Amino acid sequence: MSDEPSLAGEWHKVDAPECAAGYPEFLTFSAGRYTGRRGESQGFVRWDAGIFRLEGGRLVLSGADDRLVAYAFDIDGDLLRITDPEGCTFSYRRV
């Protein structure tokens, strides 16, 4: 049995400062893949679709430019908090 938290399911951004405007409003994680969807007023988003993995306590995602980037994260119940490499912290709630 794995001690890694499960990201499976759909997530909606709930706490996002201005620095998080480039991250999608909605995320779906399943079996090593993710899909990001923009909100109505969003333009380009850094995460559109790709692969993800949990590695050494980090969330590693392939972004819209296909680079793999590691993010600090934690899950508290149905709240996923992510901190990007620039220090921007934002949250998603599982729906």
Side-chain angles (χ1 to χ4, degrees), residues 1-94:
M1 185 149 215
S2 173
D3 289 337
E4 290 185 339
S6 174
L7 294 177
E10 296 181 29
W11 301 81
H12 180 255
K13 194 168 15 170
V14 293
D15 176 28
E18 184 61 32
C19 61
Y23 294 97
E25 191 72 20
F26 304 94
L27 284 172
T28 303
F29 291 98
S30 65
R33 300 211 38 93
Y34 80 91
T35 303
R37 284 188 302 123
R38 297 179 301 168
E40 288 183 27
S41 62
Q42 282 188 299
F44 174 81
V45 291
R46 295 180 187 193
W47 302 335
D48 54 358
I51 61 168
F52 81 94
R53 65 180 178 255
L54 302 179
E55 182 177 279
R58 297 245 196 244
L59 171 61
V60 179
L61 287 129
S62 63
D65 62 1
D66 294 329
R67 286 184 313 129
L68 290 173
V69 179
Y71 298 85
F73 80 102
D74 78 5
I75 295 179
D76 183 10
D78 286 332
L79 189 67
L80 168 63
R81 278 183 296 277
I82 299 172
T83 302
D84 73 12
E86 290 80 38
C88 181
T89 298
F90 50 100
S91 300
Y92 289 88
R93 183 166 307 283
R94 194 184 317 255

